[in-house]
Amino acid sequence: MRRIRGGLTTGALVLATAACSAGGGGGSDQAAAKMAASPKPTVSAARIDIEPKAGATDVKPSGALKVSVASGKLSKVTVTDKDGKAVDGAISADGASWVPKAGLAVSSQYKVTALASDANGIATQAESTFGTLTPEKDAGPHDNIDDGSTYGVGMIVSLNFKKAVKDRDAALKGISIEASDGSVVKGHWFGDDRVDFRPEKFWKPGTKVTVHYRLKSVEVSPDVYGGVDSDQTFTIGRDQQTTVDARKDTMTVVRDGQTVDTIPITAGKPGFDSWNGTMVIEEKAERTRMSSQGLSNVSAAESYDLSDVPHAMRLTDSGTYVHGNSWAVGAMGSYNASHGCIGLQDARYGSDGSDAGKYFRSALVGDPVTVVNSKGAEVAADNGLSGWNTDWKNW
């Protein structure tokens, strides 16, 4: 009986040991090995989409470029032109898209590289290259500024387009004017083909002004682009302001706050009354031709054609000048005898020593000339550089 019990006990111990070895240590090792052998995902679930597609041509520079991702988030987007210059842009807060902060350039090649990751952190990359269109039509803008010139304190930058501008906001975004004294400059549209720029008040003497045009890649009308990228700089000279009193027939010249001259003049006679308001000298000529041809309110008896009017300083597009006058010297300071211009005493072909000659030499394009006490209407803001007659809140 003892041997039987002893044998059974020994057998039980052996079986127990075998069972512990098979079900414990051996089973766990096999499971761990199986798990280690299971492959991890190697392909990202994120799917990147780049517009325009690779190889696209004639792409519009604005609105066409966009990068987006499905089942993931963008981590980096790089866009460069053919010279390697980066295009500034931003990934959206949710990581789902990227767009450039400004339009692209026309006639250019671009490369896009985008990186994104899925929820498991597995990354993917996509690339695209494309070309932007070359405009067939541009708006042909031109302004009244000569680079490096000096102008008077009333100078207004006037930009004219040969083709109508339908997207004014886009055009204005392509134009910036920088003043050395920090003056704020705003643009005001006169129709679809002209925009003028000025500060709230006359410029301060000595101010350096730089006009930045970045219109070449701006679509200002359907399929019509701005056509120019350039910088132009000009300087504001001394402060000379002139006031013409059409009732007293005098012209007072104030330079840097001091009255430097009071000149007898003749202004527009009844029926041809001079404009009231502030005008600006927009061009100067030693001599010019003045004719009544094309003016509807001039009778045959009042018609004129003067081929060499001296010391002519144009104030309006409609034909108002400050100019030398040798044929109505008796009217100077006494009564109004002109067809709307401001006449100053001068010799037949002009004299540097005359009232007109001295004023001509002192004047700059951009000098303001204000007419008061005329029986005429106020000059329109778009007649020459007469925008100073529009108050700032309406400019």
Side-chain angles (χ1 to χ4, degrees):
M1 293 292 292
R2 290 179 189 152
R3 284 195 295 267
I4 293 174
R5 288 176 183 156
L8 289 173
T9 302
T10 302
L13 288 172
V14 172
L15 289 172
T17 302
C20 180
S21 175
S28 296
D29 290 345
Q30 291 175 9
K34 185 176 181 181
M35 290 177 63
S38 299
K40 293 182 179 180
T42 58
V43 178
S44 178
R47 295 291 180 266
I48 299 173
D49 181 60
I50 300 175
E51 292 290 342
K53 300 301 182 185
T57 59
D58 294 328
V59 174
K60 284 196 171 187
S62 180
L65 175 57
K66 182 179 180 181
V67 181
S68 60
V69 63
S71 302
K73 291 185 177 181
L74 292 168
S75 56
K76 185 177 182 180
V77 176
T78 303
V79 181
T80 54
D81 65 13
K82 62 182 179 180
D83 298 320
K85 183 179 178 182
V87 174
D88 196 15
I91 296 174
S92 62
D94 60 3
S97 63
W98 178 97
V99 291
K101 290 185 177 179
L104 306 177
V106 295
S107 307
S108 295
Q109 296 291 318
Y110 289 93
K111 179 179 180 179
V112 184
T113 303
L115 299 175
S117 297
D118 63 15
N120 294 317
I122 300 174
T124 187
Q125 177 176 309
E127 293 184 348
S128 176
T129 56
F130 64 91
T132 53
L133 59 79
T134 296
E136 295 183 359
K137 294 180 287 185
D138 70 63
H142 59 94
D143 65 20
N144 58 336
I145 299 299
D146 288 329
D147 190 45
S149 294
T150 298
Y151 297 107
V153 297
M155 189 60 182
I156 290 176
V157 178
S158 186
L159 183 65
N160 289 265
F161 296 86
K162 293 181 180 178
K163 296 183 182 296
V165 173
K166 298 302 182 183
D167 193 340
R168 296 181 181 182
D169 290 340
L172 286 180
K173 287 179 181 178
I175 305 168
S176 61
I177 299 183
E178 178 185 0
S180 61
D181 66 349
S183 293
V184 174
V185 180
K186 293 198 304 185
H188 183 86
W189 288 91
F190 295 107
D192 291 333
D193 60 359
R194 174 181 170 183
V195 57
D196 285 8
F197 297 87
R198 68 168 177 88
E200 181 176 4
K201 299 178 181 179
F202 290 151
W203 300 98
K204 295 178 182 178
T207 302
K208 292 189 180 300
V209 184
T210 303
V211 185
H212 303 282
Y213 294 119
R214 297 294 181 269
L215 291 168
K216 186 176 181 179
S217 301
V218 177
E219 190 176 18
V220 297
S221 289
D223 299 321
V224 178
Y225 287 78
V228 63
D229 285 352
S230 68
D231 295 326
Q232 291 179 290
T233 300
F234 62 92
T235 302
I236 302 301
R238 81 290 174 271
D239 180 356
Q240 180 164 295
Q241 302 180 39
T242 299
T243 301
V244 174
D245 190 324
R247 187 165 55 217
K248 295 180 179 179
D249 293 307
T250 59
M251 187 171 85
T252 303
V253 183
V254 177
R255 188 178 306 133
D256 296 324
Q258 301 294 319
T259 299
V260 295
D261 210 351
T262 300
I263 305 169
I265 60 94
T266 184
K269 60 187 175 183
F272 299 93
D273 301 281
S274 301
W275 298 112
N276 281 296
T278 297
M279 292 160 272
V280 172
I281 296 175
E282 56 180 336
E283 63 181 21
K284 295 172 61 180
E286 290 282 352
R287 294 181 188 176
T288 195
R289 181 181 179 182
M290 294 184 183
S291 172
S292 61
Q293 185 177 2
L295 298 179
S296 59
N297 62 333
V298 179
S299 65
E302 291 282 358
S303 64
Y304 58 91
D305 188 355
L306 304 172
S307 61
D308 48 12
V309 177
H311 296 131
M313 292 154 279
R314 189 173 194 128
L315 298 180
T316 69
D317 295 342
S318 62
T320 305
Y321 285 79
V322 175
H323 64 78
N325 183 316
S326 62
W327 55 90
V329 173
M332 308 294 174
S334 299
Y335 61 92
N336 294 321
S338 82
H339 289 84
C341 292
I342 310 303
L344 284 69
Q345 175 271 329
D346 208 345
R348 175 67 180 87
Y349 296 105
S351 168
D352 287 345
S354 67
D355 286 344
K358 289 186 285 187
Y359 182 73
F360 183 88
R361 291 199 312 277
S362 78
L364 291 173
V365 170
D367 282 350
V369 177
T370 302
V371 176
V372 298
N373 296 323
S374 172
K375 293 182 180 179
E378 182 175 270
V379 63
D382 63 346
N383 192 357
L385 305 178
S386 302
W388 298 105
N389 298 291
T390 299
D391 59 35
W392 186 241
K393 68 180 180 179
N394 293 319
W395 182 255

